[in-house]
Amino acid sequence: MNIPNIKKYISEQMQYIDRTYWVMFIGLIMFASIALFSASSFFVFQEGSSTLGPILSQMLFIAVGVALAFILQFVPSKWIRRLGYIGLILSVILLLLTFSPLGVEINGSKRWLKLFGITFQPSELAKLTLIIVVSDLFSKIKTIDDQRKYFFMVMGITLVICGIIFIGNLSTAVLLGGIVILLAILARVHVKYWGSFVVAILTFMICGYFFVNEVYVKQNRTVEGPLKRVITWVGRINDMLEESKTPDAEFRITDDNYQSSHAKIAVARGGKSPFGVLPGNSIQRDVLPQAYADYIFAIIVEEWGIVGSLILILLYLSILFRACLKSSRYADYSAMLMVMGLALMITCQALISMMVSVGIGPVTGQPLPMISRGGTSALITSIYFGIIMSVSREQTELGIRQRAAINESRDDVPDIDID
């Protein structure tokens, strides 16, 4: 396809693009630009950079992400599915490289990789490609025998990916595994398969928690090797349980609960007014270390209040609702599962990040999609939107052409005079 033909193709396809998804996408970017400007003060002070430095850096990633989303919406979904398998193999290699000297440790976790001067998280690519591959494999199920074959194939691949991610990032591994189970339910895989898998994983995690807590945490022993972060994970769960039992009069801010405590203070300040303290007037942004990343929603609540927070929550939920509405009409089953998987990932990750910020769950380190500072997350989330919009464009075009063909066939039927 030469350049003139590409221009002609894009021009023809513009009538089929999903403008509603674009409104949601741009809405998140607008939230990001305002929230990051307020929440980056601690980062600016810590790094000694200019006030606009972190904002411009993040907006550059977002601008590249918008360009990727625009291009991807014109790429056929069958190409995306094929690239998903290649990307999955690449993501496994990159995940393994994080344990090499190329891996970068940040905040006690070695989940980043530095190549050619660029630092990124391979787990973001793994989440994207695993959802694409799983959706394609589940779409091949036609018979009862296929259920067993493809379910165990999917679980094998998922265990490899999530197992590698688990070493440095428990929350991402659990989130990704949960999305795969939801896709199995959507693919109508029998409950005896995915149910037994869920029970086995939950049993393993609960037993693991009690073992580490009793043998290591309570005995003040450390864990060496790749699984050294299990102490941190168990400690976060214990902190959450302790905070829920501690009366307000006896509560104290310590090094262990510093971030979560200041996040709660930010939420409390924002809750005093329906519109918060208004953008730019946050106090906690100057003392909360991860105000621009994991706890950015706490700053949004502080500055925007319950009204702004609900708007953002509804914006994320609308992505999932529209995916449910549109995908229920798709003729391509694989495309339907892929769209639902990507929409679930965006929405579930957002809700988990919000729950952590307001103190409902243990600290997980999950960013708020498109809003938390992080170049890899912004680019991959933009690709999510690009793929979703690609499928929507294809299915819209298919529906219009089918209706046109039906109307044309009706016009060709001669009138019959029954008199």
Side-chain angles (χ1 to χ4, degrees):
M1 185 180 291
N2 54 36
I3 298 300
N5 287 342
I6 292 177
K7 289 182 178 179
K8 181 181 178 182
Y9 172 76
I10 293 177
S11 178
E12 291 174 349
Q13 293 296 312
M14 284 296 290
Q15 62 182 311
Y16 305 120
I17 64 173
D18 196 318
R19 291 173 175 80
T20 304
Y21 277 126
W22 271 107
V23 170
M24 297 173 182
F25 188 34
I26 299 302
L28 288 178
I29 293 173
M30 291 175 64
F31 259 100
S33 59
I34 299 172
L36 282 169
F37 189 83
S38 291
S40 296
S41 60
F42 187 93
F43 181 82
V44 170
F45 173 77
Q46 188 181 45
E47 299 294 325
S49 61
S50 64
T51 304
L52 292 176
I55 308 300
L56 293 177
S57 173
Q58 184 67 13
M59 294 311 293
L60 177 61
F61 279 109
I62 290 176
V64 174
V66 171
L68 284 173
F70 181 82
I71 294 170
L72 274 172
Q73 71 177 338
F74 299 109
V75 176
S77 60
K78 64 180 181 180
W79 294 6
I80 294 172
R81 287 196 287 270
R82 292 169 185 170
L83 289 172
Y85 287 90
I86 299 173
L88 189 64
I89 296 171
L90 177 62
S91 65
V92 171
I93 296 171
L94 294 176
L95 284 170
L96 292 174
L97 284 176
T98 59
F99 303 109
S100 74
L102 294 174
V104 177
E105 185 172 319
I106 300 176
N107 296 327
S109 178
K110 200 172 183 181
R111 64 182 77 159
W112 284 263
L113 195 62
K114 190 169 185 177
L115 293 175
F116 309 108
I118 301 173
T119 304
F120 62 96
Q121 287 193 67
S123 60
E124 293 293 335
L125 176 63
K127 289 192 296 186
L128 169 65
T129 54
L130 182 62
I131 289 173
I132 294 173
V133 170
V134 167
S135 301
D136 187 53
L137 291 175
F138 276 151
S139 69
K140 299 179 186 296
I141 296 176
K142 306 298 181 184
T143 65
I144 296 177
D145 291 336
D146 287 344
Q147 283 198 19
R148 178 181 175 85
K149 171 185 174 182
Y150 286 109
F151 177 78
F152 284 105
M153 185 184 298
V154 163
M155 287 303 106
I157 296 171
T158 301
L159 285 173
V160 170
I161 297 295
C162 290
I164 301 173
I165 295 174
F166 167 83
I167 296 173
N169 194 341
L170 171 63
S171 61
T172 297
V174 172
L175 173 62
L176 186 54
I179 298 299
V180 171
I181 293 299
L182 288 175
L183 286 175
I185 296 172
L186 289 173
R188 298 183 179 87
V189 174
H190 197 281
V191 66
K192 69 179 180 182
Y193 294 123
W194 61 263
S196 58
F197 183 82
V198 170
V199 170
I201 293 297
L202 287 176
T203 302
F204 170 78
M205 293 179 66
I206 292 171
C207 291
Y209 164 77
F210 283 108
F211 174 78
V212 173
N213 191 48
E214 296 294 329
V215 176
Y216 290 94
V217 175
K218 289 185 177 180
Q219 303 298 326
N220 291 321
R221 297 169 60 189
T222 59
V223 177
E224 301 296 334
L227 293 177
K228 62 181 180 180
R229 282 186 59 80
V230 295
I231 299 294
T232 302
W233 301 334
V234 171
R236 288 174 175 176
I237 295 173
N238 289 341
D239 290 341
M240 183 193 70
L241 296 175
E242 280 298 319
E243 286 181 19
S244 65
K245 298 177 182 177
T246 304
D248 293 341
E250 300 178 8
F251 183 78
R252 297 289 185 272
I253 297 178
T254 64
D255 290 340
D256 293 333
N257 65 14
Y258 183 84
Q259 291 195 105
S260 59
S261 298
H262 281 285
K264 290 177 183 178
I265 294 171
V267 172
R269 286 193 75 232
K272 292 180 179 180
S273 167
F275 299 98
V277 298
L278 301 180
N281 295 318
S282 169
I283 294 177
Q284 295 307 308
R285 64 180 180 174
D286 296 325
V287 293
L288 192 56
Q290 294 295 322
Y292 55 87
D294 300 346
Y295 286 94
I296 196 168
F297 184 68
I299 305 303
I300 291 174
V301 176
E302 183 182 10
E303 295 192 341
W304 296 63
I306 188 67
V307 173
S309 304
L310 281 176
I311 292 173
L312 182 58
I313 292 171
L314 290 174
L315 185 56
Y316 280 115
L317 289 176
S318 66
I319 295 169
L320 181 59
F321 291 156
R322 182 157 183 81
C324 292
L325 178 64
K326 294 279 288 184
S327 63
S328 64
R329 305 169 184 171
Y330 290 165
D332 188 336
Y333 193 52
S334 176
M336 182 275 283
L337 290 173
M338 183 165 61
V339 166
M340 287 303 303
L342 297 176
L344 282 166
M345 178 58 74
I346 294 172
T347 307
C348 291
Q349 183 175 316
L351 293 179
I352 290 172
S353 179
M354 291 174 181
M355 289 170 64
V356 170
S357 293
V358 300
I360 296 177
V363 179
T364 62
Q366 288 299 318
L368 198 57
M370 286 307 299
I371 296 181
S372 293
R373 187 176 183 273
T376 310
S377 177
L379 289 176
I380 295 298
T381 305
S382 298
I383 292 174
Y384 287 175
F385 273 98
I387 294 173
I388 291 171
M389 291 187 288
S390 169
V391 174
S392 180
R393 174 195 55 78
E394 277 186 344
Q395 297 302 312
T396 299
E397 179 187 9
L398 178 62
I400 291 174
R401 293 187 182 279
Q402 286 178 340
R403 286 193 294 271
I406 291 171
N407 292 333
E408 184 178 343
S409 64
R410 286 175 178 170
D411 292 339
D412 291 338
V413 176
D415 294 331
I416 300 175
D417 188 358
I418 61 175
D419 294 335

